Amino acid sequence: MLSTVRKTIHKYNMLTSGDRVVVGLSGGADSVSLLSVLMALRNELQLTIYAVHINHNLRGEAARQDEGLARALCEDLGVSFFVYQADVRSFADVHRLGIEEAGRKLRYQYLHQAMVELGAQKIVVGHNSDDNAETVLLNLFRGTGLKGLCGIPPVNGVVIRPLLEVSRHEIEAYVDKNSLPFTIDDTNLSIDYKRNAIRNVIMPEIHKHFGNQTAGLIARNALFMRDDEDALVLFSQKKVRMVPYGFSPKIILNVDSLLSHHVAIARRLLRDAISELRGEIGLEDITSAHIESIIDIAQGRTGREISLPGFKARREYENLVLHKDRQTQRFCHILSPDIPVNIPGMTIKLSITPPYYPLYSKYCTHSLNYDKVNMPLEIRTRRPGDKITLPGGTKKLQDYFTDTKTPRALRDSTPLLAHGSDILWIMDKHNRINVAYQAIDGQQACWVTVY
């Protein structure tokens, strides 16, 4: 077992010499054997090891006994021991979660807290290959795609799982051989939880008909599928990026490019885009029906939009835009000489004398005919009746936005330099200036600088 763990650590680059690690120690056979193996590798890898026990306070005296056993084991091994008390039932009620899911979330929350408080680099947990096989089946029955069938990741950010290629049978043999004390959580015997039903009912039947190596084969196949998943993730990352769009980040996908892919790739790109947009909650509450509805929007005419959990998808000319459902930020500020005005993403200043700035690309300065400019000027978003004079004549701002195919969301948030209904400068990617206010050689000018 020690050899397998050593190979797994090196295979996935889980640890670096000198790492400080937090080990999740429940007191069960998995976590006890994990701590023992890491102690055996401590000098070889130059590790500093801390053990953290989270008491879920669900099992009364049995939970206190688990805590006591974990504490005594750490005293025997000379490992620093820390305990966190979790109120799982209250957390489950507040967040409307099942007890199993609430316990998992709180465990990782406290393990991350311990890692920060102890200045550690990694969190080490004791999932084994049988756990991985059970997870694959659980995800299969839930109807997840390829990512779910990859099972438990060996490395997930700062969380590592050195026992993932070790079977439960090997772990039991290890703790027996080394006379390691461990507890048995009697709730694991209940089939009220889905995972326990898979572990105690379904897996024994699979072993009965297909042999005792089946769990290992399922786990091994999950690792192969993870390689496929990783390759597809790398492909998707080149296609899906969060970009500034108005005053909030959004995902923009070219429709022709999206629809040119096989539908399986298009669905993946959309799932990855949604996960990137929604952050921590990822694809929670997102179904295959949502994905198909977005593809339908992409195939439709410009302007079509659909509201989905926490975000919207909209066809805007040649692009599909995914954005969080937020109110447009409108603004209006008076621009007086030499007094900077801050708006989201930029600062603007009006100068009567020529500004002197180094020629950095972040500066954008336009000169205006001082004799034509009427004070006060405003920096604002659009209003009905706005117009601008361009080389071809005076045009309504609404028509300008239509001609330049400016997305609707940007029309309501584009900064404008204005006097009354006259727009002097449209601060968009086209950067248009009202020709009626352009500076003329020999006449006094004023300057508006964005930085």
Side-chain angles (χ1 to χ4, degrees):
M1 178 170 154
L2 183 63
S3 175
T4 301
V5 171
R6 181 186 286 111
K7 288 178 182 178
T8 302
I9 289 173
H10 290 301
K11 177 180 178 180
Y12 296 104
N13 297 314
M14 291 181 170
L15 294 169
T16 301
S17 180
D19 274 348
R20 302 160 72 92
V21 300
V22 167
V23 180
L25 182 64
S26 67
D30 295 346
S31 64
V32 166
S33 62
L34 173 65
L35 180 61
S36 173
V37 169
L38 287 178
M39 289 298 291
L41 296 173
R42 179 176 57 175
N43 292 335
E44 178 183 329
L45 296 175
Q46 295 295 298
L47 300 177
T48 301
I49 298 173
Y50 306 101
V52 172
H53 178 84
I54 292 94
N55 189 331
H56 295 72
N57 289 293
L58 293 172
R59 297 165 48 243
E61 180 59 31
R64 287 187 286 275
Q65 290 176 4
D66 292 350
E67 180 183 325
L69 182 146
R71 185 185 302 277
L73 176 65
C74 289
E75 289 176 355
D76 289 343
L77 295 175
V79 176
S80 298
F81 180 71
F82 301 88
V83 177
Y84 290 85
Q85 301 294 332
D87 188 348
V88 175
R89 292 195 188 281
S90 295
F91 186 84
D93 290 341
V94 169
H95 296 277
R96 296 182 179 179
L97 299 171
I99 291 295
E100 194 175 21
E101 178 66 9
R104 187 190 69 82
K105 285 182 176 292
L106 279 178
R107 272 198 305 278
Y108 283 106
Q109 177 180 310
Y110 283 121
L111 288 170
H112 277 89
Q113 180 179 333
M115 183 186 73
V116 172
E117 291 174 349
L118 296 169
Q121 289 79 40
K122 298 290 172 59
I123 294 169
V124 194
V125 291
H127 293 108
N128 58 53
S129 65
D130 290 73
D131 294 324
N132 202 7
E134 293 159 8
T135 298
V136 170
L137 291 179
L138 186 62
N139 288 339
L140 177 65
F141 300 151
R142 286 171 173 167
T144 61
L146 177 61
K147 187 173 182 179
L149 298 181
C150 294
I152 305 171
V155 177
N156 186 11
V158 297
V159 179
I160 63 173
R161 299 176 170 94
L163 299 185
L164 204 58
E165 297 187 11
V166 178
S167 71
R168 187 170 293 132
H169 175 74
E170 291 175 286
I171 289 171
E172 291 169 353
Y174 179 87
V175 295
D176 182 59
K177 179 181 177 180
N178 292 277
S179 301
L180 295 172
F182 65 93
T183 64
I184 297 176
D185 185 346
D186 53 11
T187 62
N188 288 335
L189 303 176
S190 168
I191 60 172
D192 292 337
Y193 302 122
K194 291 184 175 67
R195 178 176 290 277
N196 288 350
I198 290 174
R199 176 177 299 175
N200 299 320
V201 178
I202 296 175
M203 287 305 298
E205 285 297 309
I206 291 176
H207 290 153
K208 176 181 175 182
H209 293 283
F210 297 97
N212 292 330
Q213 302 302 314
T214 307
L217 292 173
I218 295 172
R220 195 171 303 118
N221 281 329
L223 294 174
F224 293 151
M225 285 187 279
R226 183 163 298 281
D227 289 337
D228 293 341
E229 170 71 11
D230 290 344
L232 289 170
V233 166
L234 290 174
F235 169 80
S236 179
Q237 286 174 344
K238 296 177 182 178
K239 299 284 185 180
V240 176
R241 283 190 174 87
M242 196 87 78
V243 296
Y245 194 76
F247 293 114
S248 63
K250 305 188 179 186
I251 301 288
I252 302 176
L253 298 171
N254 179 270
V255 169
D256 289 341
S257 176
L258 175 69
L259 299 180
S260 70
H261 296 294
H262 188 283
V263 67
I265 297 297
R267 289 176 184 136
R268 164 171 284 276
L269 291 173
L270 289 174
R271 287 196 299 269
D272 289 347
I274 294 166
S275 183
E276 177 76 9
L277 181 70
R278 299 175 88 216
E280 184 178 344
I281 61 174
L283 294 173
E284 289 182 18
D285 303 325
I286 299 299
T287 68
S288 58
H290 293 138
I291 301 298
E292 296 308 312
S293 67
I294 299 174
I295 291 177
D296 181 61
I297 290 292
Q299 293 171 333
R301 67 182 185 278
T302 188
R304 291 187 66 203
E305 185 176 74
I306 186 170
S307 293
L308 297 164
F311 72 103
K312 291 182 178 181
R314 181 180 178 83
R315 172 73 188 263
E316 293 182 348
Y317 301 104
E318 71 277 10
N319 292 323
L320 175 70
V321 178
L322 309 181
H323 61 94
K324 291 188 176 179
D325 193 7
R326 296 177 179 172
Q327 294 288 340
T328 301
Q329 299 185 40
R330 294 182 177 274
F331 54 84
C332 179
H333 302 285
I334 301 297
L335 191 61
S336 300
D338 299 319
I339 300 177
V341 169
N342 295 309
I343 62 173
M346 64 181 71
T347 300
I348 301 169
K349 187 168 76 171
L350 172 67
S351 304
I352 304 302
T353 57
Y356 172 75
Y357 295 113
L359 296 178
Y360 297 144
S361 61
K362 68 178 180 178
Y363 293 104
C364 180
T365 301
H366 278 300
S367 58
L368 301 170
N369 189 326
Y370 181 75
D371 294 332
K372 295 287 185 69
V373 171
N374 294 308
M375 299 294 179
L377 297 178
E378 295 175 333
I379 293 294
R380 61 173 176 80
T381 48
R382 68 172 178 164
R383 294 174 183 161
D386 283 345
K387 62 186 184 300
I388 185 170
T389 302
L390 300 172
T394 299
K395 178 175 290 191
K396 292 180 180 178
L397 184 65
Q398 174 66 32
D399 294 338
Y400 166 84
F401 281 146
T402 300
D403 292 345
T404 55
K405 296 184 177 180
T406 302
R408 189 176 304 275
L410 286 186
R411 298 180 188 189
D412 290 332
S413 57
T414 298
L416 306 168
L417 177 66
H419 176 74
S421 62
D422 274 350
I423 304 302
L424 283 65
W425 181 6
I426 304 174
M427 299 179 185
D428 62 0
K429 65 179 182 180
H430 304 289
N431 216 20
R432 302 304 297 270
I433 296 292
N434 190 320
V435 296
Y437 292 87
Q438 284 183 329
I440 300 173
D441 290 343
Q443 295 189 5
Q444 186 175 358
C446 58
W447 291 262
V448 179
T449 300
V450 177
Y451 56 98

